[in-house]
């Protein structure tokens, strides 16, 4: 049976998506087993949140903080808005584990490949061009640290950005609604992306009235979600001054123009690959992405952070990466449509794809090379003993753990850490009788005599981990 071009292209897209999903999911699970997650405390928070929602009493002890709010202790009190959490809950209920969250995040992120394919085909009318665009997506440099960064709702919004671009450009109401809903379900930051979509030009000319209607609806939906839904949520569930505090976090000192440009140049060279150039073919789309790229470079995050333990803040680059891929796919596809009517256009398209692939691959190599400098959070010699002792922690045991060791311990009601006061148990460093375990990072946080004096016994002492256990009943 002969397979037509469109079906063949879809088979390649499906195979590429499945292969990359399998690759990064395996990597995520291996990093989890090796205690090398991006930031274990954040994964511990997500897992304990789901565990408390589906298995526990609705209260959490793992409470990340921000400048305007502190998570919990009730599961419904958060410092951001993400309805997608509740959509995932039934899956977690069936498979309650941090590994479930890692798998889900990897699966959803790589939907960006079929999203790029459908966006490009809508723009170019060609399955071959769409396949070319889809195969460039895995070469996007910052896509890799983003997908490696544990479980993040921001990450899962990426494919929906591309589908929203496609819906708005093609004036397809259903697809636009699905893309917008997917974005807004992930994080409130994407409400600004939705509002900006109001100014994304359509693919075909249209009358002024229709353009005005699309702009009005998109802008109002984005702004309304931010102001009414998110700020309303903060006001009623976090505190009356929380919305103002949210704004205040953006009012601090900013880098100079020279510093911003230096950071921006690194992003354009090593972070976004060829998309940052290809998007210039459609200025309206490039302007939308440019807003997020500039905002990122103006103090939110920088490529240099990929060399240290704070690399996990790469999640804040997600809106810039997603909009740049979307705008770049549109630019690549429009260039292909134009070259189709030019003599030698097919050869020119091959050259364009190869040049884009080489440029992006060079950026990916540079980005991944930076990450090789990240110090391992836990010594390899401590990994096997850690898992052996974790298996002995009872479901009702209260645990004190340094941040690096928390994610696998988070399917419990009482998990606390130190360093930050909000994460310490009441009375710290004196631990109440229900505390049976301490997983302590050494030598970073000093000795453990303070716990030995409370009846804890050292059961493991390694280069980066000391484990203490207290006998007796609660």
């Amino acid at each position: 049976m002969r397979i037509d071009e469109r079906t063949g292209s879809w088979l390649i897209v499906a195979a590429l998506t499945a292969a990359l999903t399998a690759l990064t999911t395996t990597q995520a699970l291996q990093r989890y087993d090796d205690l090398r997650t991006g930031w274990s405390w954040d994964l511990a928070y997500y897992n304990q949140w789901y565990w408390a929602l589906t298995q526990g009493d609705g209260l959490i002890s793992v409470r990340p903080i921000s400048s305007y709010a502190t998570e919990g202790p009730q599961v419904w009190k958060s410092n951001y808005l993400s309805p997608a959490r509740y959509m995932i809950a039934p899956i977690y209920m069936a498979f309650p584990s941090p590994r479930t969250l890692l798998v889900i995040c990897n699966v959803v992120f790589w939907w960006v490949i079929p999203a790029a394919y459908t966006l490009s085909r809508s723009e170019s009318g060609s399955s071959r061009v769409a396949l070319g665009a889809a195969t460039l997506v895995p070469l996007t440099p910052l896509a890799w640290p983003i997908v490696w960064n544990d479980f993040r709702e921001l990450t899962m919004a990426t494919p929906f950005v591309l589908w929203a671009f496609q819906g708005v450009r093609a004036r397809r109401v259903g697809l636009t609604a699905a893309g917008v809903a997917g974005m807004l379900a992930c994080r409130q930051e994407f409400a600004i992306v939705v509002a900006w979509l109001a100014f994304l030009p359509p693919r075909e000319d249209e009358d002024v009235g229709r353009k005005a209607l699309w702009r009005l609806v998109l802008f109002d939906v984005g702004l309304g979600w931010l102001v009414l839904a998110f700020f309303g949520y903060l006001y009623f569930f976090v505190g009356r001054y929380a919305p103002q505090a949210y704004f205040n976090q953006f009012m601090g000192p900013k880098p100079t123009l020279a510093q911003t440009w230096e950071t921006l140049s690194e992003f354009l060279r090593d972070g976004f690959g060829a998309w940052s150039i290809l998007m210039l073919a459609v200025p309206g789309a490039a302007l939308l992405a440019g807003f997020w790229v500039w905002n990122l470079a103006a103090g939110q995050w920088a490529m240099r952070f990929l060399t240290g333990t704070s690399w996990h803040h790469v999640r804040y680059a997600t809106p810039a990466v997603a909009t740049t891929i979307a705008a770049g796919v549109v630019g690549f596809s429009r260039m292909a449509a134009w070259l189709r009517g030019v003599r030698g256009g097919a050869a020119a398209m091959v050259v364009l794809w190869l040049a884009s692939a080489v440029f992006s691959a060079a950026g990916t190599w540079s980005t991944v090379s930076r990450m090789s400098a990240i110090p391992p959070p836990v010594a390899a010699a401590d990994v096997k003993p850690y898992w052996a002792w974790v298996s002995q922690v009872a479901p009702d045991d209260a645990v004190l753990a340094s941040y690096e060791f928390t994610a696998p311990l988070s399917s419990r009601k009482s998990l606390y850490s130190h360093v930050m006061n909000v994460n310490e148990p009441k009375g710290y460093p004196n631990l109440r009788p229900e505390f049976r375990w301490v997983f302590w990072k050494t030598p970073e946080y000093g000795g453990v005599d303070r716990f030995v004096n409370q009846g804890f016994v050292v059961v493991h002492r390694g280069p980066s981990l000391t484990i203490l256990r207290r006998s007796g009943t609660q």
Side-chain angles (χ1 to χ4, degrees):
M1 182 178 66
R2 184 176 181 179
I3 299 176
D4 61 74
E5 181 178 294
R6 186 172 183 178
T7 301
S9 297
W10 265 117
L11 289 174
I12 295 173
V13 167
L16 181 61
T17 303
L20 288 170
T21 301
L23 171 65
T24 61
T25 299
T26 301
Q27 292 172 333
L29 297 177
Q30 187 62 58
R31 284 195 307 274
Y32 176 79
D33 289 341
D34 293 341
L35 304 181
R36 292 188 296 109
T37 51
W39 186 235
S40 190
W41 184 248
D42 284 350
L43 183 56
Y45 160 67
Y46 284 117
N47 182 67
Q48 193 188 60
W49 187 92
Y50 277 103
W51 186 87
L53 179 70
T54 62
Q55 316 286 326
D57 59 3
L59 299 176
I60 61 174
S61 61
V62 181
R63 303 178 63 189
I65 63 173
S66 68
S67 60
Y68 60 92
T70 300
E71 301 276 355
Q74 300 85 0
V75 292
W76 46 259
K77 183 187 175 186
S78 176
N79 59 22
Y80 60 91
L81 192 58
S82 176
R85 284 191 189 187
Y86 296 93
M87 302 175 190
I88 294 170
I91 303 175
Y92 184 91
M93 187 179 297
F95 307 98
S97 168
R99 293 180 174 88
T100 299
L101 302 180
L102 296 173
V103 171
I104 290 172
C105 193
N106 279 267
V107 169
V108 175
F109 175 81
W110 287 116
W111 291 351
V112 69
I113 294 177
Y117 177 85
T118 60
L119 172 58
S120 180
R121 196 175 190 287
S122 175
E123 293 287 334
S124 67
S126 168
S127 297
R128 291 185 181 182
V129 172
L131 185 59
T135 53
L136 286 175
V137 170
L139 297 176
T140 307
L142 278 174
W144 291 95
I146 285 174
V147 76
W148 285 334
N149 190 22
D150 306 339
F151 172 83
R152 307 284 181 182
E153 296 105 328
L154 276 166
T155 300
M156 294 190 296
T158 305
F160 296 101
V161 173
L162 274 70
W163 280 317
F165 263 70
Q166 181 184 345
V168 173
R169 288 277 294 170
R171 292 303 194 237
R172 292 175 56 184
V173 175
L175 184 58
T176 301
V180 167
M183 284 192 287
L184 297 181
C186 290
R187 284 273 296 221
Q188 72 279 347
E189 288 92 337
F190 288 97
I192 311 247
V193 176
V194 175
W196 266 99
L197 285 172
F199 306 100
L200 180 67
R203 190 174 67 245
E204 306 292 343
D205 291 336
E206 63 183 356
D207 63 78
V208 175
R210 191 182 187 211
K211 180 179 292 186
L213 178 61
W214 272 83
R215 285 187 172 179
L216 179 65
V217 172
L218 286 166
F219 190 80
D220 285 356
V221 168
L223 188 63
W225 186 263
L226 182 67
V227 175
L228 299 179
F230 177 55
F231 289 161
Y233 170 81
L234 290 181
Y235 183 90
F236 288 108
F237 293 102
V238 179
R240 60 184 299 183
Y241 298 110
Q244 180 181 344
Y246 178 83
F247 268 118
N248 290 343
Q249 68 177 332
F250 301 108
M251 300 293 108
K254 301 292 183 182
T256 65
L257 186 62
Q259 291 170 329
T260 301
W261 176 251
E262 180 181 359
T263 303
L264 178 64
S265 64
E266 282 193 301
F267 279 130
L268 298 179
R269 185 188 69 235
D270 296 333
F272 301 107
W275 302 124
S276 58
I277 300 172
L278 294 169
M279 70 181 185
L280 299 177
V282 182
L287 183 63
L288 192 160
F291 166 82
W292 289 100
V293 174
W294 179 265
N295 183 62
L296 183 65
Q300 197 173 28
W301 193 75
M303 294 289 291
R304 63 180 177 274
F305 295 146
L306 284 174
T307 60
T309 55
S310 62
W311 74 270
H312 59 91
H313 293 299
V314 69
R315 61 186 180 272
Y316 297 122
T318 303
V321 172
T323 53
T324 301
I325 292 175
V329 169
V330 172
F332 176 82
S333 306
R334 298 314 296 168
M335 291 175 67
W338 179 77
L339 286 172
R340 193 177 303 153
V342 176
R343 185 177 180 182
M349 269 307 302
V350 172
V351 172
L352 176 65
W353 187 91
L354 288 173
S356 300
V358 170
F359 185 83
S360 296
T364 299
W365 180 86
S366 176
T367 295
V368 174
S369 296
R370 291 173 190 256
M371 297 183 71
S372 64
I374 299 172
V378 180
D382 286 322
V383 173
K384 188 174 181 180
Y386 170 86
W387 284 108
W389 286 107
V390 164
S391 66
Q392 299 186 41
V393 179
D396 295 330
D397 287 348
V399 181
L400 175 73
S402 298
Y403 292 132
E404 295 84 353
F405 308 114
T406 50
L409 292 161
S410 57
S411 295
R412 291 163 180 85
K413 179 179 179 179
S414 297
L415 172 64
Y416 295 87
S417 193
H418 51 100
V419 181
M420 301 292 289
N421 291 338
V422 71
N423 298 323
E424 295 175 351
K426 186 176 180 180
Y428 178 84
N430 296 316
L431 301 180
R432 299 187 302 271
E434 63 267 26
F435 279 86
R436 301 284 304 282
W437 297 88
V438 174
F439 290 77
W440 193 256
K441 180 75 177 291
T442 52
E444 186 173 345
Y445 297 120
V448 295
D449 289 347
R450 73 197 80 176
F451 305 118
V452 172
N453 295 335
Q454 298 176 50
F456 285 88
V457 176
V458 174
V459 295
H460 169 76
R461 193 186 299 272
S464 65
L465 168 65
T466 298
I467 303 175
L468 300 97
R469 180 178 186 177
R470 181 157 61 183
S471 302
T473 58
Q474 297 183 15

